[in-house]
Amino acid sequence: MHFSEQIDALLRLSHNLLYLGMDGSPIYSDELARMSGETFRLCNELYDGGLHGASPEEEASLCLALLLGYNATLCDHGDKQQRIQQILEHSWKVLPHMSDPLLKVRLLTYCYSECYEEELADQAHAIIATWNADQLTSDQKEIIEELQNIEDNPYPWEYID
């Protein structure tokens, strides 16, 4: 499988895992475990290959896929947070060189979801503000909703008194 095909496969698998059961269909533990294991395996395979691509957009797609994948999976061999930190650090280097606004907003959003640095959300909102609200694509609408969801629920797994 070609590098860009692996990235696309990880993006699809991560998205499916993150939204598993959201359509009302039942979630089976064996399917959840299989998808989580496959996602984790593919994340590690791509990560171990290095965080380099043929262009800033390919590197950004790789970083995005890895952030989504590691976020979606239940697996951890003890180094997942260290890997996520390295992906975030690489993302900071790639972001200034990107030309694809949708991909940039997606990467900014998922970087923000890991560290909650307001500058990232502000950059995403600045790009979104340039989009024609009457002609948004489904992908643009999805990432706008995702960013809003992350901003509205910054600590989804913690109870705050």
Side-chain angles (χ1 to χ4, degrees):
M1 188 181 302
H2 188 267
F3 185 62
S4 62
E5 291 171 338
Q6 286 180 300
I7 293 170
D8 290 342
L10 180 55
L11 283 168
R12 278 190 309 278
L13 189 57
S14 299
H15 187 271
N16 290 343
L17 186 56
L18 283 168
Y19 291 95
L20 188 64
M22 296 295 279
D23 61 357
S25 62
I27 300 172
Y28 297 101
S29 60
D30 60 334
E31 181 66 6
L32 177 63
R34 184 196 64 74
M35 289 176 69
S36 185
E38 177 63 15
T39 301
F40 191 68
R41 183 199 62 75
L42 191 50
C43 280
N44 286 340
E45 186 178 305
L46 283 168
Y47 180 90
D48 291 342
L51 297 175
H52 304 289
S55 68
E57 276 66 30
E58 188 172 72
E59 287 186 34
S61 292
L62 174 61
C63 289
L64 176 63
L66 289 170
L67 287 173
L68 283 170
Y70 282 130
N71 185 297
T73 186
L74 304 171
C75 306
D76 187 352
H77 293 158
D79 62 349
K80 186 160 90 170
Q81 288 307 312
Q82 179 183 4
R83 287 175 179 242
I84 289 170
Q85 185 59 45
Q86 289 178 330
I87 295 163
L88 289 170
E89 290 170 9
H90 190 73
S91 296
W92 308 156
K93 295 174 189 173
V94 172
L95 281 163
H97 305 287
M98 296 178 62
S99 59
D100 179 340
L102 177 60
L103 179 58
K104 189 169 187 173
V105 169
R106 291 180 78 203
L107 185 56
L108 285 164
T109 298
Y110 288 103
C111 286
Y112 174 74
S113 76
E114 291 293 334
C115 63
Y116 294 97
E117 289 185 25
E118 287 300 320
E119 180 183 329
L120 298 170
D122 291 345
Q123 287 181 42
H125 283 292
I127 294 168
I128 291 168
T130 67
W131 295 346
N132 184 338
D134 295 330
Q135 297 178 341
L136 293 174
T137 66
S138 60
D139 289 338
Q140 289 171 323
K141 290 176 186 174
E142 182 179 312
I143 197 58
I144 290 168
E145 289 174 18
E146 187 65 22
L147 177 58
Q148 188 63 54
N149 183 45
I150 293 167
E151 289 175 316
D152 290 346
N153 303 291
Y155 306 103
W157 307 113
E158 298 180 22
Y159 292 101
I160 299 176
D161 295 327

